[in-house]
Amino acid sequence: MFRVFPWKTTVSYYEFRQKRIKNVLFSTRSNEIVLDANSPSVSSTSSNSSSNTPVRPQASTESTQETSKQTTRHPAWNRSSSQPAELRNGSFNEISDGNWTFLIDTQPPPAAVKGFGNVPIVSYDVVETMGDRKLKVCAVTWNINEKGAKVLNHLAQKIVDRGEEMESDLVFISLQEIPSTAPTFHEEARRILEPLFSGHRMYLSHRAWSQMVIVFIRHKHIGYAIQPQVSFIASGAMAKPVRTKGAIAICLRLYQRFIVLIGCHLSHATPQLRIQDYAKVVRTLRFPQLAKFHAHANDEIFASDAVIWTGDLNFRVTVENTVDWSKPDKLTDTVFNEVLESEELASHKLKQVAFADFAEPPLRFPPTHKYEPETDLYVPKRIPSFTDRVLFWMRSPEYLEPIKYDCMRGTTPSDHKAVFATFWLKVINKPVPERYRSQKSLENGNSTN
């Protein structure tokens, strides 16, 4: 049976019915979204929670465009039917299906003078307490191989064992291959990891399906950080709930420095796909606050002051070698250099097709993949590879200074070992003027007399 339409010669009845049903469903869903955004229940919820400072909904995995002027609600088209219309301060909020964000409302010091990005301008007294005007940053990445949240107890113990090596002012943790059957993994991760950083506060956490990032900032510095912007970029046209490939990026300003933190999981299939994943992330990531408040007036990641990019990059060592990785501390720099020169990342950087502008701290630890779980032994007939990395880019050579770069030694419950890197991040441009110090010492002398 056929029907005739003025804009099309013929169309089957089946095709006509399918299109009609699709239009009806779309119309119904649109009406539900509008009702959800304007329902009385939402209004009553908002009024009851007015005592809490609402968090501006800048974290969106659907788009990096600036949100609407309504600061207590996500636009209806960015929210799933299960998402609350108001972001609750200090708790996880589902911002779309499979995506959760934890975001606190940073409270600036009292009577603070605001600068660009609404960041309080730091006083000379605070700068003096920082000494060299630098903060210590630690970036951690671990592919947990679809283990449950309890596996993070292993990471927590490793962090404790490292002691001062990993003690930092800002801690950035990136996790990959979170099991799809663990809908509350992000909540359990908070309960396990937060006690490790008693002098810090969980500034932000964002989960996108099987990937997750967490940022802790020391209490005395968190008042000088702006509300961050978060973006998730899927490698493909749509994100897969299982072993999600792509990147979660966070843009924030801390004191006088704009920083972009990226945790990713690139394709495991072919080198070409990994290159495409990298290119898409760099091309697609946009942060409006960089263009709005930064002198470079650009919203791409290289308009920031520093980028720390970590994750399971999946780059492989492609040439067989006879290196005994069981005693890496006894290996010479020549051995490491020969192996690293034969791997994909070095080749891609040389050809300038991926991470050409990024640097890496000196790598002197054994390959982190692929292990037999619960052992310290590599899987037979596989070339061990440095898949888990921490790379960095900086606008000025003085902004970032690598301190330590290593993997978590010993047995691992995953087929990957966790990797971490620590840096000195220069957050204040100029030292305290000598005239201020002279005036202060003079005032102190007068007060004692």
Side-chain angles (χ1 to χ4, degrees):
M1 179 177 179
F2 294 88
R3 296 189 61 176
V4 179
F5 294 85
W7 62 86
K8 195 171 183 180
T9 55
T10 59
V11 62
S12 68
Y13 178 76
Y14 173 80
E15 185 178 352
F16 166 76
R17 291 292 301 166
Q18 289 296 104
K19 187 173 181 180
R20 180 69 179 271
I21 292 171
K22 184 178 180 181
N23 289 339
V24 170
L25 289 175
F26 177 81
S27 177
T28 304
R29 176 61 181 149
S30 300
N31 291 334
E32 289 175 353
I33 291 175
V34 173
L35 289 172
D36 178 48
N38 298 282
S39 62
S41 60
V42 171
S43 303
S44 60
T45 304
S46 300
S47 61
N48 293 335
S49 60
S50 59
S51 59
N52 298 328
T53 304
V55 179
R56 291 177 295 173
Q58 293 161 306
S60 172
T61 57
E62 301 295 331
S63 172
T64 56
Q65 296 179 355
E66 289 185 276
T67 54
S68 65
K69 294 182 179 180
Q70 290 182 327
T71 59
T72 58
R73 294 180 181 176
H74 282 276
W77 55 86
N78 277 349
R79 297 194 292 112
S80 69
S81 58
S82 61
Q83 178 200 348
E86 179 178 299
L87 274 177
R88 295 165 296 167
N89 187 26
S91 61
F92 277 97
N93 297 271
E94 186 181 9
I95 63 172
S96 66
D97 293 328
N99 293 263
W100 292 265
T101 285
F102 174 100
L103 181 63
I104 68 168
D105 188 15
T106 56
Q107 297 297 326
V113 179
K114 301 293 183 64
F116 286 115
N118 207 31
V119 178
I121 296 177
V122 61
S123 67
Y124 286 147
D125 291 334
V126 174
V127 175
E128 278 196 309
T129 63
M130 298 173 66
D132 53 6
R133 297 166 283 134
K134 295 178 181 178
L135 300 183
K136 190 177 180 182
V137 177
C138 179
V140 183
T141 177
W142 193 24
N143 183 321
I144 64 173
N145 191 28
E146 298 186 300
K147 304 291 184 181
K150 291 182 179 180
V151 77
L152 296 181
N153 289 308
H154 171 84
L155 178 63
Q157 186 58 52
K158 291 293 184 181
I159 293 175
V160 171
D161 293 343
R162 286 284 179 167
E164 292 185 0
E165 275 188 335
M166 297 185 67
E167 188 176 337
S168 303
D169 299 294
L170 184 151
V171 180
F172 173 57
I173 300 175
S174 172
L175 302 173
Q176 304 90 41
E177 290 196 13
I178 295 172
S180 59
T181 54
T184 61
F185 182 96
H186 44 284
E187 296 279 7
E188 297 175 62
R190 180 188 179 188
R191 286 193 289 269
I192 293 171
L193 297 176
E194 201 168 33
L196 296 177
F197 308 100
S198 57
H200 300 64
R201 186 169 181 189
M202 194 164 88
Y203 171 67
L204 180 143
S205 179
H206 187 89
R207 177 182 176 183
W209 299 106
S210 70
Q211 290 191 55
M212 181 176 175
V213 295
I214 311 170
V215 178
F216 294 95
I217 298 180
R218 201 178 295 276
H219 284 295
K220 65 180 181 180
H221 302 303
I222 204 164
Y224 296 95
I226 66 171
Q227 294 287 297
Q229 290 183 335
V230 186
S231 179
F232 168 62
I233 305 297
S235 294
M238 295 182 64
K240 296 191 302 182
V242 181
R243 298 186 178 183
T244 312
K245 299 300 190 293
I248 305 174
I250 303 166
C251 179
L252 69 141
R253 180 181 168 111
L254 184 60
Y255 290 98
Q256 296 177 334
R257 202 64 64 231
F258 267 107
I259 319 161
V260 174
L261 304 171
I262 302 175
C264 78
H265 192 185
L266 303 186
S267 174
H268 67 284
T270 65
Q272 187 59 39
L273 285 178
R274 289 187 275 279
I275 294 172
Q276 291 177 8
D277 290 350
Y278 165 80
K280 180 179 180 181
V281 171
V282 172
R283 182 180 67 251
T284 311
L285 272 180
R286 290 291 182 269
F287 293 107
Q289 66 184 9
L290 285 175
K292 187 175 182 180
F293 298 116
H294 205 281
H296 302 283
N298 196 327
D299 60 357
E300 63 180 10
I301 63 172
F302 296 117
S304 64
D305 296 314
V307 179
I308 297 178
W309 190 316
T310 184
D312 181 1
L313 307 187
N314 258 320
F315 291 122
R316 310 302 173 96
V317 174
T318 57
V319 179
E320 291 276 2
N321 59 76
T322 58
V323 178
D324 180 10
W325 294 111
S326 62
K327 299 177 180 178
D329 296 332
K330 295 185 177 180
L331 299 176
T332 64
D333 290 349
T334 303
V335 174
F336 276 101
N337 292 337
E338 288 178 353
V339 175
L340 292 171
E341 287 172 1
S342 67
E343 63 139 11
E344 292 175 357
L345 179 57
S347 174
H348 296 335
K349 285 170 65 67
L350 186 63
K351 296 176 183 176
Q352 296 191 340
V353 292
F355 295 101
D357 298 320
F358 283 83
E360 184 175 21
L363 194 161
R364 294 297 178 266
F365 53 83
T368 56
H369 181 263
K370 181 175 186 179
Y371 285 91
E372 295 279 7
E374 306 296 343
T375 73
D376 197 16
L377 303 174
Y378 291 108
V379 172
K381 299 181 180 179
R382 290 283 295 268
I383 303 176
S385 297
F386 301 92
T387 56
D388 310 277
R389 311 290 273 270
V390 180
L391 309 178
F392 66 97
W393 172 91
M394 50 188 168
R395 179 171 298 282
S396 172
E398 62 181 5
Y399 287 168
L400 279 177
E401 178 187 346
I403 305 171
K404 181 73 175 179
Y405 190 30
D406 202 356
C407 70
M408 302 298 192
R409 307 296 177 94
T411 60
T412 173
S414 171
D415 58 351
H416 290 253
K417 284 189 177 181
V419 171
F420 76 93
T422 53
F423 303 87
W424 288 117
L425 172 67
K426 190 173 183 180
V427 293
I428 302 294
N429 294 325
K430 296 181 180 181
V432 175
E434 191 60 38
R435 65 180 181 276
Y436 173 80
R437 291 178 177 171
S438 301
Q439 180 66 27
K440 187 176 180 181
S441 61
L442 183 62
E443 291 174 357
N444 291 338
N446 293 336
S447 62
T448 56
N449 295 333

